[in-house]
Amino acid sequence: EEETAKVKYGNTHDPLAILGDRCVGNTLEQLVPFLASLWLYAFVVDARTTRWTGAVYILARLLYPWAFWRGSPIIMLSTVPGYCVVWYHLACVVWTLFAASGGVGERT
């Protein structure tokens, strides 16, 4: 475990440096899926409700530093809602496009 931490976080043992590294790193890792799903949802489904799903995601991200500091399983209070928002966006986009195409049935 010590060797894994050394590779993952470098030679620092400063807890605040590790916290800052993970907060920035995790935010950047999740930024692309979130923004892509947010834009698709706003364009395809409903731009007005996007503000609420985006707010839920941002609130979950605001919990990340505290949750990371507390450790597992508390960190799930920040990460799982964010993942759910992204998957909700994508599911709604797929459903809307599927419904708009006529769904399942015979094509004439």
Side-chain angles (χ1 to χ4, degrees):
E1 186 173 312
E2 177 74 25
E3 194 63 33
T4 302
K6 187 182 274 189
V7 170
K8 189 170 184 177
Y9 303 122
N11 288 327
T12 186
H13 293 286
D14 180 7
L16 289 176
I18 294 170
L19 175 66
D21 177 70
R22 286 315 311 142
C23 288
V24 171
N26 190 269
T27 299
L28 291 175
E29 291 164 3
Q30 299 304 318
L31 190 61
V32 173
F34 169 65
L35 287 179
S37 71
L38 183 79
W39 292 337
L40 282 169
Y41 183 88
F43 184 71
V44 174
V45 182
D46 184 12
R48 289 182 302 175
T49 59
T50 305
R51 75 181 106 170
W52 298 112
T53 59
V56 168
Y57 184 88
I58 290 170
L59 290 174
R61 295 305 313 160
L62 289 173
L63 286 175
Y64 190 85
W66 172 81
F68 184 85
W69 190 260
R70 301 283 303 190
S72 185
I74 300 296
I75 199 160
M76 303 282 259
L77 293 173
S78 174
T79 56
V80 170
Y83 299 149
C84 289
V85 167
V86 170
W87 283 109
Y88 173 78
H89 286 162
L90 295 175
C92 288
V93 167
V94 168
W95 183 260
T96 301
L97 292 174
F98 181 72
S101 71
V104 180
E106 286 187 37
R107 304 257 175 198
T108 55

